[in-house]
Amino acid sequence: MPDSADAVLDGLDPEQREVATALSGPVCVLAGAGTGKTRAITHRIAYGVRSGLLQPSSVLAVTFTNRAAGEMRGRLRQLGAGGVQARTFHSAALRQLQYFWPKAVGGELPRLLDRKVQVVAEAAARCRIRLDRNELRDVTAEIEWAKVTQTVPEDYPAAAAKTGREAPRDPAEIALVYGTYEQLKRERGVIDFEDVLLLTVGVLQDRHDIAETVRRQYQHFVVDEYQDVSPLQQRLLELWLGDRDTLCVVGDASQTIYSFTGATPDHLLNFRVRHPHATVVKLVRDYRSTPQVVHLANGLLAQARGRAAEHRLELVSQRDRGPEPVYGEYADEPAEAEGTARRVRELLDSGVPASEIAILYRINAQSEVYEQALADAGVPYQLRGAERFFERPEVREAGLLLRGAARAGGHSDPQLAGVDDVPSQVRAVLGTRGWKPEPPAGSGAVRDRWESLAALVRLAEDFVRARPAATLADLVAELDERANAQHAPTVEGVTLASLHAAKGLEWDAVFLVGLAEGMMPITYAKTDEQVEEERRLLYVGVTRARVHLSLSWALSRTPGGRPSRRPTRFLNGLRPGSAAVRPVFSGAAAQGGVERGAGVRKRRGSARCRVCGRTLTDAGEIKLMRCEDCPCELDEALHERLRDWRAEQARLLGQPAFCVFTDKTLLAIAEAVPGTEAELACISGVGGRKLGKFGADVLALCAGDDPGSADVSQDTSQETPEK
């Protein structure tokens, strides 16, 4: 734990430090994948708490998954800010609703529905509408979307048409099922997940006294993954805030992949419109992935279109070079799965842990062939999004045993006699149920059970490393907290997951499979907006990899099938042997280009920031080729030498310093550090005349040498100063 507030800032890069010290007013953090956003915002909260500027109980940090909230709480504890609330939107809302319901409505809060899909099925049956399994799932998703966008049943058909949603059934039928579903809930006195937010919004809107109580409690808000906020969540956030602006939001429009659930990046992209005086910080230093992975990720977004693409962040890898991404083309899907399993085995043999390898696909139905291939290769795996870790029978049993041992006082328990440290105590307890340090041979249920218990042992080891004085009772409390938050430990097996489920995670090695047209982008992505979201989904997949990245596709689905599939269009121009596809522009969407046929001259594109990709309009920013507030790689020593040299040249010429080079041009030279005349000539403000007059001196300074005597005999009094 840091010993002071200033120590909390140790180890942060300049942009992260700027986030951590921006404690007043609205703050918007635009954070690319792998840039340490969680580190930045947890250190921001901890710095505020440790410096006395924030009271722990007055801070509410919200995110979108229980795992992310659990991780945030853990980091805050380690930084000495353990009293801060870090929750999901739903968890925070449910807590408030349970507390205020008796006062606002009376009685106890209605029971929360466990499985919505069963009630939707009953509603469809009451409407005499037959839904197969897939339609039932999709209609349930439509109802969820309608509720988070605050669309009532009778308005659903019009809302679906307006937003271009592909309804799984006739919209009028869905509206009927939706209305009946709501009626069934009322009859049974139950509420669903979305009702938690709707009812909390209703209470805060209708009861100003309750809203003021909440606002007195929480005075500072931090929202992670802000690009995924739905209109309903945004409304709740506004009610929490009231007329204050003590809000810090963190997000990346290029990682918006949940629009089908009602998420929209508009709140993130419009933040500066709503808060003109907001502090905006961009995090683009990628600490996760190698330059090769980052290059591919940047290349994917460079071809993107739309509003999110206009605000893309160009990542800059901070890691050493690694292997190039591997591309694989296979005859059919089983061959692709077998080839992937072989490469996984090679990585395992080279020392990469199974828990640091993931196979990611577009839809869950693709997992079966990979499960079989890994099992045939003797590779342990885990399905993400399947049974929850803490609900597994062996984990529940282990929890009961550990709780009993802790209650018995550890050493007073015969099975723990002579065992001193917590990890050894855990091993001893699990050993009473047959667990051994060495894994069983093969895969299957026995291996799965062993992996679950091994994950508990590793969790105990990690826990004690973070808290050396911890007892077995402390570990049990940690397990209970993790179970409530579904913050599972790492299981030692290759992860199989959909691209959506992989969001927020990372591995040393990632296999992106099934990257053929029809699956990526998915067939039902019809509109430009839907296709661009598929591109962002692939971008999310690429940026999950730290070192090893493999991308593959199959030419047919089954062995012997017609090889009619093509690799995804998103890799055109990026994978070896593929040609870039020239984007087709139309009207105002041209963004610096025009459609052109034979004989039509290409119009010069607009200048874009070389860091974040934003279109530049300010002359000074165009000269630097970056936004003023984007991070730069400035050679400060060179900049100082250039300034001294410019002052001497100006003295010899008897002219103002800007007649030699303006401040912006000097800064651009110190950032670019050109090594040749051609590189120097590319910098805005270095024209042919100045290149001939000052080029040799500038290049000498950039090389670390002393400049020769400049020829100042030529009269430059008529030169127009740079703007």
Side-chain angles (χ1 to χ4, degrees), residues 52 120 176 229 286 302 334 358 419 453 594 681:
V120 174
L176 184 59
V229 166
D286 188 323
V419 180
L453 299 180
V594 292

Side-chain angles (χ1 to χ4, degrees), residues 8-17 20 39-40 43-44 287:
V8 171
L9 303 178
D10 291 346
L12 299 182
D13 69 29
E15 294 77 40
Q16 292 171 344
R17 181 180 285 256
R39 177 180 174 83
H43 280 69
R44 177 183 187 271
Y287 297 95

